[in-house]
Amino acid sequence: MVSQAAPEAIIRIRKLRNCFGKQCVHEDLDLDVRRGEILGVVGGSGTGKSVLLRSIVGLRRPTAGQIHVFGEDLMALSGERRSALERRFGVLFQRGALFSSLTVTENVALPLIEYAGLQRSDAEQLAQVKLALAGLPANAGNKYPASLSGGMVKRAALARALALDPEILFLDEPTAGLDPIGAAAFDSLIRTLRDALGLTVFLVTHDLDTLYTICDRVAVLSQKKVLVVDALDVVAATDDVWIQEYFHGPRGRAAQQAVTNIRERQ
Ligand SMILES: Nc1ncnc2c1ncn2[C@@H]1O[C@H](COP(=O)(O)OP(=O)(O)OP(=O)(O)O)[C@@H](O)[C@H]1O
């Protein structure tokens, strides 16, 4: 009999606890993120999706628990080792978080100068490649963030997240605020980049279309834990009030129907 190796967990979270004063957002939360997958993280508002993302990328020290990334215990690493490890992450925040006083090219070049030690001219050349990878036209580089559309800001922020050739991409509600066509194009870009660059993607979202079209697995945060993590059809069949309302309410049904229609046309 041929034994199948268990998928490798590139992120392994055990007994995670996050409290703000007396309010605990996570208690005994366990989650594995597999290498190469697009994992969608969903849950009601305030269930701690962003806090979870921030705990993994090093913006928040959890109250307790373990987070292993690439086999390393994040909480046990020295500051220097941890910074080196965090450079293998690309993070796209909800509002893009670009520097408004820098052009798009300068924004993308900044991590290349600061962390990779590139000369400004080399960094700006490489930044152009990253902008193209994120689907931006060449002339977008000279613009300031304030003059870009919402979709272009997301792409510019994605280009910056890709600047240091990350292995794991963290996205916090990447399609929020985009129109449906822009959101679908962004989803498709994420999947293309995952396939082309071999990325692992940790994606916090409320967008059902994103879940149906690009996620390999979905994790539902509820009751301070990951209530279920599995393929979408398994998750959607889970007996839980929030899950049933979310996946089988009018918006969930519409997203599912849209994907069925697309598959039938293919
Ligand atoms: N720095 C903080 N200080 C105090 N409470 C915080 C802090 N950050 C987050 N919280 C609380 O933690 C809870 C979870 O917040 P989080 O932003 O992770 O939720 P979320 O699931 O991402 O919500 P949404 O879907 O609305 O974005 C909220 O109740 C929030 O008020």
Side-chain angles (χ1 to χ4, degrees):
M1 198 175 103
V2 181
S3 67
Q4 290 225 317
E8 183 197 349
I10 197 166
I11 302 174
R12 188 179 152 89
I13 300 170
R14 291 294 178 272
K15 293 193 171 299
L16 185 74
R17 192 174 153 88
N18 266 307
C19 302
F20 298 96
K22 286 188 178 149
Q23 183 210 2
C24 289
V25 179
H26 303 137
E27 282 194 79
D28 287 340
L29 182 150
D30 294 345
L31 178 67
D32 283 354
V33 182
R34 298 172 180 168
R35 184 181 287 278
E37 76 173 342
I38 300 181
L39 178 75
V41 179
V42 298
S45 199
T47 48
K49 302 178 293 294
S50 297
V51 171
L52 177 60
L53 185 153
R54 293 168 67 81
S55 301
I56 306 170
V57 302
L59 292 170
R60 169 175 169 79
R61 190 171 176 86
T63 312
Q66 292 96 46
I67 302 178
H68 283 82
V69 186
F70 308 119
E72 304 243 35
D73 180 351
L74 287 193
M75 260 67 94
L77 290 178
S78 66
E80 202 177 320
R81 292 271 308 279
R82 195 180 162 118
S83 301
L85 187 136
E86 284 165 8
R87 268 173 233 149
R88 296 163 73 185
F89 301 162
V91 188
L92 174 60
F93 293 103
Q94 261 186 45
R95 284 171 198 83
L98 296 170
F99 292 107
S100 57
S101 59
L102 300 181
T103 65
V104 168
T105 299
E106 287 167 347
N107 262 286
V108 180
L110 199 60
L112 293 164
I113 297 167
E114 276 192 6
Y115 300 115
L118 263 60
Q119 295 293 319
R120 178 169 297 276
S121 58
D122 292 341
E124 293 193 351
Q125 256 188 342
L126 191 49
Q128 294 299 333
V129 177
K130 304 292 173 181
L131 291 173
L133 208 55
L136 280 170
N139 65 1
N142 295 327
K143 296 187 173 159
Y144 287 89
S147 67
L148 300 180
S149 69
M152 286 171 92
V153 168
K154 300 266 182 188
R155 283 171 191 263
L158 179 63
R160 193 181 57 182
L162 294 171
L164 296 172
D165 296 330
E167 289 163 65
I168 311 178
L169 190 58
F170 293 88
L171 308 170
D172 198 352
E173 298 194 29
T175 57
L178 298 184
D179 65 81
I181 294 172
F186 200 84
D187 282 343
S188 144
L189 173 64
I190 297 299
R191 188 164 54 187
T192 303
L193 289 173
R194 185 279 301 269
D195 293 345
L197 305 176
L199 297 168
T200 302
V201 181
F202 181 102
L203 190 165
V204 171
T205 189
H206 285 284
D207 190 331
L208 279 151
D209 290 327
T210 304
L211 296 181
Y212 275 101
T213 50
I214 65 165
C215 291
D216 299 303
R217 292 194 308 152
V218 174
V220 179
L221 260 63
S222 178
Q223 299 146 44
K224 304 180 184 177
K225 295 183 171 51
V226 173
L227 188 66
V228 55
V229 52
D230 214 316
L232 185 62
D233 52 344
V234 178
V235 171
T238 302
D239 183 14
D240 171 81
V241 173
W242 186 85
I243 291 178
Q244 288 306 311
E245 174 58 26
Y246 184 65
F247 287 98
H248 302 291
R251 289 166 65 97
R253 285 200 303 272
Q256 193 174 18
Q257 189 56 48
V259 171
T260 308
N261 292 346
I262 290 168
R263 291 197 178 130
E264 279 173 2
R265 282 203 298 272
Q266 281 170 348

